[in-house]
Amino acid sequence: MTRRDPPLTPVVVAESVADLRSNVVRAHRGGQTIGFVPTMGALHAGHVSLIERARAECDVVVVSIFVNPTQFGPNEDFQRYPRPRELDLKICGDAGADIVFYPTVDDMYPPGYRTFVEVQGLSEILEGAIRPGHFRGVATVVTKLFLLVQADKAYFGQKDYQQQLLIRIMTRELNIPTEIVTCQTLRDPDGLAMSSRNAYLSSAERVQGLCLWRALDGVRKLIEAGERDLAKLQQSLVDVISAIDGVVIDYAVIVDAGTLASLTAAVPEMVALVAIRVGKTRLIDNLVLRLTDRAAG
Ligand code: AMP
């Protein structure tokens, strides 16, 4: 019987740091490799694709579900962020996770907690400029989780492009021996990137949100057709989104894919990053733009 044959092995839920540690120690003693997927829960097919990739590449798969308060601003959706615990645990088990780490806020941040991790430069721009403190919270919780899980590989979505880049840099600079794997963005058939926050959208807002993918795909098509003028590419991104009434642009830019530095002319690897507000909901998306040698002229 293979690991995936029914009945599925029930997932072990580690409710505390101590619980998680004993499971991790057992896996390491047995010489097993560990794959780790950090999430905030409200799991969807995008998260499942990360868990399945970890399942395919590692002996033991750990998923964390933790709505991390330090990455939310005071006026953001920390309180109302969805927390469907039983459904999430079932999704983890069905996707092949072995252990779900489901800590409490007090366990991760005991009273008086005061240690934070900052990745300078990258934390303050784009998503970080709109959400001050967000990446400090992300870097801190991911460092803590990495130290706890001691994974061989950790899986992140390209959906949060700036986040995966920041985590790659942080992991390298802190000499954390975990390999970062970035997985492609899963989309609904109409192009909307899957996100736990899509649940907030009314059906009208969801239609408005489709402008993100339309704008990104439009830029991709322009590049395919030979357009290399960065200002024109950039303008098309903004035009497609601002044509939709009721959508507020936080940013819509084309930047260097490796550094997120702003550009004055097209370079071989760029990324288009877009963030909008539709009603009370923020949506982000991105697309890596590669100029092929043949087309680049
Ligand atoms: P979150 O629960 O939103 O913190 O996301 C947990 C992980 O899932 C992050 O690495 C995200 O980038 C990734 N993720 C979220 N949405 C998607 C998606 N649509 N496709 C692929 N990965 C995703």
Side-chain angles (χ1 to χ4, degrees):
M1 174 167 146
T2 67
R3 170 69 181 74
R4 301 302 304 279
D5 285 340
L8 294 170
T9 311
V11 73
V12 171
V13 185
E15 308 262 2
S16 67
V17 164
D19 243 11
L20 178 73
R21 271 193 200 289
S22 57
N23 279 287
V24 166
V25 167
R26 202 171 310 132
H28 279 303
R29 280 212 191 105
Q32 292 168 301
T33 57
I34 298 181
F36 177 43
V37 183
T39 81
M40 297 204 301
L43 302 178
H44 51 67
H47 298 110
V48 169
S49 71
L50 269 51
I51 300 171
E52 289 179 342
R53 173 98 181 255
R55 175 76 280 150
E57 296 182 354
C58 304
D59 298 325
V60 174
V61 175
V62 179
V63 177
S64 64
I65 298 180
F66 181 59
V67 185
N68 173 37
T70 62
Q71 71 188 68
F72 287 77
N75 299 316
E76 294 185 355
D77 55 345
F78 175 69
Q79 294 298 344
R80 73 169 180 142
Y81 200 85
R83 293 165 171 85
R85 182 187 158 103
E86 294 314 313
L87 180 60
D88 279 350
L89 293 180
K90 179 174 173 357
I91 291 172
C92 287
D94 289 353
D98 298 295
I99 301 165
V100 178
F101 181 41
Y102 211 119
T104 62
V105 170
D106 267 6
D107 215 7
M108 292 296 279
Y109 301 109
Y113 186 90
R114 59 192 161 180
T115 306
F116 292 88
V117 178
E118 267 182 77
V119 182
Q120 292 179 349
L122 210 56
S123 289
E124 302 86 15
I125 60 171
L126 297 161
E127 200 58 13
I130 305 286
R131 305 181 68 187
H134 170 68
F135 284 122
R136 179 183 193 246
V138 169
T140 301
V141 80
V142 172
T143 301
K144 285 169 69 70
L145 291 168
F146 277 5
L147 293 172
L148 284 167
V149 178
Q150 301 188 24
D152 294 272
K153 294 184 176 193
Y155 297 83
F156 292 86
Q158 188 188 310
K159 157 85 174 19
D160 299 282
Y161 190 91
Q162 190 173 357
Q163 171 175 280
Q164 61 80 38
L165 185 62
L166 176 125
I167 287 165
R168 275 178 185 280
I169 292 169
M170 179 191 88
T171 306
R172 191 175 66 227
E173 294 188 353
L174 291 180
N175 308 107
I176 295 173
T178 298
E179 180 190 334
I180 306 303
V181 181
T182 303
C183 305
Q184 70 178 40
T185 303
L186 253 75
R187 300 177 180 283
D188 285 335
D190 56 13
L192 188 70
M194 291 181 181
S195 164
S196 307
R197 289 190 168 96
N198 291 354
Y200 299 151
L201 298 170
S202 69
S203 48
E205 288 170 341
R206 200 182 175 292
V207 172
Q208 290 173 300
L210 292 177
C211 68
L212 284 181
W213 177 241
R214 248 197 332 276
L216 294 169
D217 198 43
V219 169
R220 183 183 64 76
K221 285 182 180 137
L222 283 174
I223 288 180
E224 253 176 38
E227 182 61 71
R228 294 294 180 269
D229 183 327
L230 185 68
K232 283 191 185 151
L233 294 169
Q234 172 87 48
Q235 195 56 48
S236 113
L237 201 59
V238 173
D239 285 348
V240 173
I241 301 175
S242 47
I244 307 300
D245 275 348
V247 168
V248 178
I249 299 180
D250 277 344
Y251 53 84
V253 293
I254 299 174
V255 293
D256 185 286
T259 61
L260 307 192
S262 47
L263 298 168
T264 50
V267 297
E269 277 228 356
M270 305 180 285
V271 61
L273 298 171
V274 286
I276 59 171
R277 275 170 286 145
V278 187
K280 288 197 173 113
T281 306
R282 277 192 90 244
L283 298 176
I284 61 170
D285 203 348
N286 66 81
L287 190 67
V288 173
L289 306 168
R290 289 191 183 87
L291 304 187
T292 62
D293 288 344
R294 192 178 53 78

